[in-house]
Amino acid sequence: MASQKIVVCGGGGFIGGHLVADLLRQGADVRSVDVKPFDEWYHFLPGAENLQLDLRGKENCERAVADCDLVYNLAADMGGMGFIENNKALCMLSVLVNTHMLMAAKDAGTKRFFYASSACVYAADKQTDPNVTALKEEDAYPAQPEDGYGWEKLFSERMCRHFSEDYGVTTRIARYHNVYGPLGTWDGGREKAPAAICRKVIEAKLSGNHEIEVWGDGHQTRSFMWIDDCVKGTQMIMKGDCADPLNLGSSELVSINQLVDIVEDIAGVKLKRRYNLSAPKGVNGRNSDNSFIQKIYKWEPSTRLRDGLERTYAWIHDQMVSQAREETQMVAGHAVS
């Protein structure tokens, strides 16, 4: 590990930042690259070589991979379902990142290239029932992925495959299923369901207005993967021998109503639910079939949702209380002046 130079693209993001932190703990030489200004990074870790680069441009990709042995490409313009459904073109433009990163990695002779794909590649007609049959890797074809974001992910998977076949670039692919945990987005429109529900429950508890808006009818189902499981599985897949795309997600299926139940229980409140049937809600059901990753690596993400949500809730609660305190002090300061 210490003898290899590793670049994490999207290192200023939620998953990428956790990956950089774990690699540094192992003694790796890490270059972390992200398009955002440093003060907007989810994690800015001084132990890494940190670069602000827009990886949609090929020259920036060449700079990012220079002298690196391993490339983790987690860079993408994305967010929760609200963001994905309302920014299809923006999500599709991430294809420039992976295309130029693959070209740069090929030219630089990079040893291995990891691509972070998504469960959004799976065919919509296999996700119409909340009592969904867990999705196997082969269920991505015939292709009918999430419009915009899912098509970009599936296309980039094919790019990885063909760069491997035609140019000998060793590629590895994981299909992430709804990753959550501390140090992630919890407001602003890009947050995913676990963080959004935590924020809404905390807002209701702190305000005394014991009501919550739920997107959809609450019966839609998902699985949610704890960030530490994601980081471990990502490195396992990168180091492993399997060149095919692999599900990386928990198989613990819950409805959105059940997700709210768990967060309410953590918070010690019971809220009135208002269902917004016109809000983005995605497919009716999606779960990860982990038989392939179990067969290949004798492992699967296994952190219990309740355990991960307790830690996520506590972190978001601290962020919200701190933010409210700062806003109060700012208002008081203006009043004095």
Side-chain angles (χ1 to χ4, degrees):
M1 178 73 74
S3 64
Q4 294 179 317
K5 179 79 173 184
I6 303 171
V7 60
V8 178
C9 303
F14 167 50
I15 301 174
H18 277 279
L19 176 60
V20 170
D22 193 66
L23 290 168
L24 289 173
R25 279 193 291 270
Q26 297 174 58
D29 183 4
V30 182
R31 176 180 295 150
S32 182
V33 182
D34 205 283
V35 68
K36 296 184 289 293
F38 290 147
D39 61 359
E40 295 179 14
W41 286 28
Y42 292 73
H43 312 236
F44 184 86
L45 298 159
E49 177 192 358
N50 297 296
L51 300 178
Q52 183 193 350
L53 296 172
D54 185 345
L55 295 176
R56 288 174 296 185
K58 187 171 182 289
E59 288 185 1
N60 286 339
C61 291
E62 291 168 348
R63 184 179 171 193
V65 303
D67 303 318
C68 284
D69 301 291
L70 306 178
V71 174
Y72 285 93
N73 184 21
L74 284 69
D77 214 335
M78 57 85 67
M81 191 49 61
F83 180 83
I84 289 172
E85 289 198 3
N86 293 310
N87 295 275
K88 294 184 176 68
L90 199 59
C91 290
M92 287 292 288
L93 283 173
S94 294
V95 75
L96 294 173
V97 177
N98 203 55
T99 302
H100 289 144
M101 283 300 303
L102 280 166
M103 293 170 69
K106 173 183 76 72
D107 293 343
T110 301
K111 293 178 181 177
R112 291 202 171 204
F113 185 100
F114 173 91
Y115 177 61
S117 187
S118 166
C120 288
V121 302
Y122 285 113
D125 63 5
K126 296 181 183 295
Q127 303 173 79
T128 58
D129 189 341
N131 300 307
V132 66
T133 300
L135 294 159
K136 293 179 178 291
E137 282 77 3
E138 57 264 30
D139 289 331
Y141 296 94
Q144 192 189 3
E146 190 85 43
D147 200 10
Y149 180 71
W151 276 109
E152 185 277 319
K153 289 296 184 185
L154 193 61
F155 177 83
S156 291
E157 284 190 9
R158 302 297 293 192
M159 287 284 288
C160 288
R161 172 179 171 176
H162 297 314
F163 265 69
S164 179
E165 293 170 341
D166 294 357
Y167 302 124
V169 179
T170 300
T171 60
R172 298 291 181 261
I173 301 166
R175 292 173 179 163
Y176 291 162
H177 288 247
N178 297 309
V179 188
Y180 73 99
L183 301 176
T185 303
W186 55 270
D187 68 350
R190 291 182 184 251
E191 67 276 15
K192 295 189 176 181
I197 296 300
C198 285
R199 186 199 73 243
K200 290 178 180 181
V201 170
I202 294 165
E203 285 174 344
K205 184 174 182 179
L206 293 177
S207 69
N209 179 19
H210 286 190
E211 192 171 272
I212 184 173
E213 181 186 78
V214 177
W215 287 8
D217 60 12
H219 296 302
Q220 62 269 33
T221 54
R222 296 289 187 276
S223 65
F224 301 98
M225 174 171 51
W226 175 240
I227 181 62
D228 292 356
D229 286 340
C230 179
V231 169
K232 179 177 180 179
T234 294
Q235 293 176 75
M236 186 181 298
I237 290 168
M238 171 63 116
K239 296 172 186 174
D241 296 328
C242 181
D244 295 322
L246 279 160
N247 278 335
L248 187 54
S250 169
S251 59
E252 182 184 351
L253 185 70
V254 294
S255 69
I256 298 302
N257 276 329
Q258 289 172 322
L259 178 63
V260 176
D261 288 340
I262 296 171
V263 179
E264 285 180 339
D265 190 55
I266 292 168
V269 296
K270 195 67 181 173
L271 307 176
K272 179 182 178 181
R273 300 180 191 183
R274 289 182 291 103
Y275 294 96
N276 185 348
L277 302 182
S278 63
K281 70 180 187 68
V283 296
N284 287 325
R286 177 183 292 152
N287 195 17
S288 179
D289 184 311
N290 289 341
S291 55
F292 192 29
I293 195 169
Q294 287 175 327
K295 177 183 177 182
I296 300 295
Y297 296 116
K298 309 295 188 267
W299 177 86
E300 66 173 317
S302 58
T303 300
R304 195 173 65 124
L305 180 59
R306 166 72 189 230
D307 296 336
L309 281 174
E310 285 180 349
R311 295 171 65 180
T312 304
Y313 179 94
W315 181 79
I316 294 175
H317 181 274
D318 289 347
Q319 299 303 303
M320 293 177 68
V321 170
S322 175
Q323 186 179 83
R325 186 183 300 118
E326 289 174 4
E327 289 173 355
T328 300
Q329 290 172 347
M330 190 177 298
V331 170
H334 284 306
V336 171
S337 61

